[in-house]
Amino acid sequence: MATYQPLPFERPIQELEKQLADLNAQENSTPEHAEQIRQLKLEITRLTREIFDNLGAWETVQVARQTGRPQTPDYIELVFDEFVELHGDRAIGDDRAILTGLAKINGRKIMLIGQQKGRTIQERSDCHYGCAHPEGYRKALSRMQMAAKYGLPIICFIDTPGAYPGIGAEERGQAYTIAYNLREMSRIPTPITAVVLGEGGSGGALGIGIADHVAVLQHAYYSVISPEGCAGILWKHVKHADKAAQALKFTSADLLRMGIVDEVIPEPLGGAHRNHRRMAMALKASLTESLKSMDGLSKEELLDRRYEKFRRIGVFEETAIEETLAATDNDPAADADTDAEMTPDANS
């Protein structure tokens, strides 16, 4: 398990944990000492739950970016029985920001596609900090088409601040490649499950996110733009990223309420970075249930459901407008007010 630096709002928890470590280090077996340890453990649990149950949007972003948070390679080790990596896009090269390969979960063969950021400086450089180039998205789509050919369900792990914004990536068709993936994923005739593990930034995330079942970890976020990017556009400075995060409504609770995702996967107390193994168990249970729920669906049913799922996103706005218009049509007082507003004033 990777080490992590406590976030600013975790410092009170860290201080209590240091006190607990000091108590445990003492060679004291009295009942009073045991009671002190018990009470301190209860206080740590209470404080951790209180803090993480009331995270703001910007604090959620900080948790999603936590360096010790489990990434795709960690879940490959903890969730899947086997994994054989498949490299390259058969055109340019192998983009390490996207990991693809054949895997087994509970003995069932699947195609796994996951974004990875890396941990060490060398790994992050190789993975472009999780920002994929066009060849990464071509690699992902190629593996999806292979999965469809052999009747394998697809699991996608999303964890990226966004697609790589460099000149070379744009010259090689970054925007076109992502758009092409969106179209092709919408009609791949095999079950697709996508899970946002940490960051789900912009088109870089959506490029592998058109799925039949979309889940998000409790303290992850899924957004059209990063808070810093939004702050730069609206407030002309990244120092307002916290306000942008609040305005974007991209936390797991917001996403579930608006119908953007189908499921929120609970994280261990204090976040996934505190207990990789327990987080992996919850993720495995969710993936197993998702795969099982799509068994028996014909290709036509699968594609129709996927189409309808994404067509429904945003309907709440249209529904609100229709309800308002309907209420106005059925309210004589509202009609009278409208007529009064349209009648010219005799004194004007």
Side-chain angles (χ1 to χ4, degrees):
M1 182 185 299
T3 58
Y4 65 92
Q5 291 296 323
L7 297 167
F9 55 85
E10 290 183 291
R11 285 171 189 159
I13 302 171
Q14 185 188 27
E15 291 173 3
L16 291 180
E17 288 175 336
K18 286 180 179 178
Q19 293 179 30
L20 180 61
D22 292 339
L23 282 176
N24 285 326
Q26 295 175 13
E27 295 182 1
N28 190 336
S29 58
T30 64
E32 292 78 9
H33 183 260
E35 179 62 19
Q36 275 186 299
I37 291 176
R38 191 182 74 85
Q39 290 296 333
L40 195 53
K41 286 182 177 179
L42 289 174
E43 178 60 18
I44 290 171
T45 300
R46 184 201 64 77
L47 182 61
T48 304
R49 181 171 288 111
E50 180 183 329
I51 289 173
F52 278 83
D53 284 350
N54 296 282
L55 292 179
W58 179 243
E59 291 168 332
T60 297
V61 173
Q62 292 176 291
V63 176
R65 294 173 177 174
Q66 171 63 266
T67 55
R69 193 173 178 85
Q71 299 181 17
T72 294
D74 300 307
Y75 290 119
I76 287 175
E77 181 180 347
L78 295 171
V79 172
F80 299 97
D81 307 320
E82 297 179 34
F83 178 72
V84 178
E85 187 174 358
L86 301 174
H87 296 269
D89 71 334
R90 302 174 66 184
I92 301 295
D94 186 40
D95 188 344
R96 301 302 298 158
I98 294 185
L99 192 67
T100 65
L102 297 165
K104 282 186 178 180
I105 178 169
N106 293 329
R108 181 171 185 173
K109 296 177 183 177
I110 61 102
M111 180 66 74
L112 177 65
I113 295 158
Q115 293 166 325
Q116 58 175 345
K117 298 177 178 179
R119 296 203 186 279
T120 66
I121 294 298
Q122 184 59 51
E123 287 177 352
R124 291 178 183 181
S125 178
D126 292 341
C127 297
H128 316 295
Y129 292 79
C131 300
H133 286 68
E135 41 273 29
Y137 293 104
R138 277 196 299 270
K139 175 168 74 168
L141 182 59
S142 173
R143 303 301 174 262
M144 292 181 196
Q145 292 168 338
M146 179 188 294
K149 179 179 179 179
Y150 293 106
L152 301 177
I154 300 165
I155 293 175
C156 298
F157 286 160
I158 297 169
D159 191 11
T160 178
Y164 194 80
I167 294 175
E170 296 296 344
E171 289 175 341
R172 296 195 298 277
Q174 182 74 288
Y176 170 80
T177 306
I178 292 174
Y180 186 74
N181 271 33
L182 303 186
R183 187 189 74 179
E184 294 304 305
M185 283 188 75
S186 70
R187 54 194 189 186
I188 286 180
T190 195
I192 306 176
T193 297
V195 183
V196 183
L197 303 178
E199 293 189 89
S202 192
L206 202 58
I208 61 168
I210 306 299
D212 302 289
H213 184 84
V214 181
V216 59
L217 268 56
Q218 182 181 359
H219 302 308
Y221 77 91
Y222 197 17
S223 174
V224 68
I225 191 173
S226 70
E228 293 88 345
C230 178
I233 294 171
L234 296 183
W235 289 280
K236 310 304 179 185
H237 203 288
V238 295
K239 69 180 182 181
H240 299 291
D242 56 341
K243 289 197 291 186
Q246 184 65 33
L248 285 166
K249 303 296 182 186
F250 55 34
T251 65
S252 60
D254 294 324
L255 296 168
L256 186 65
R257 175 174 53 82
M258 293 187 289
I260 307 298
V261 301
D262 305 295
E263 179 188 8
V264 174
I265 304 175
E267 296 191 21
L269 185 64
H273 57 282
R274 286 178 169 265
N275 196 324
H276 289 200
R277 192 167 298 277
R278 184 171 294 179
M279 184 68 253
M281 290 172 61
L283 177 59
K284 186 173 185 177
S286 171
L287 294 174
T288 301
E289 184 61 31
S290 172
L291 293 172
K292 184 179 178 181
S293 70
M294 289 181 276
D295 284 342
L297 292 177
S298 68
K299 293 179 181 180
E300 292 75 17
E301 289 174 322
L302 196 68
L303 295 178
D304 287 345
R305 280 181 38 164
R306 191 181 305 160
Y307 175 82
E308 292 299 328
K309 168 185 170 57
F310 285 92
R311 287 289 292 176
R312 284 195 301 269
I313 294 177
V315 166
F316 65 92
E317 294 181 0
E318 297 176 4
T319 304
I321 293 171
E322 290 170 0
E323 289 176 352
T324 301
L325 292 175
T328 302
D329 292 341
N330 297 326
D331 186 354
D335 292 339
D337 290 342
T338 303
D339 293 340
E341 289 176 2
M342 297 178 63
T343 302
D345 187 345
N347 295 322
S348 60

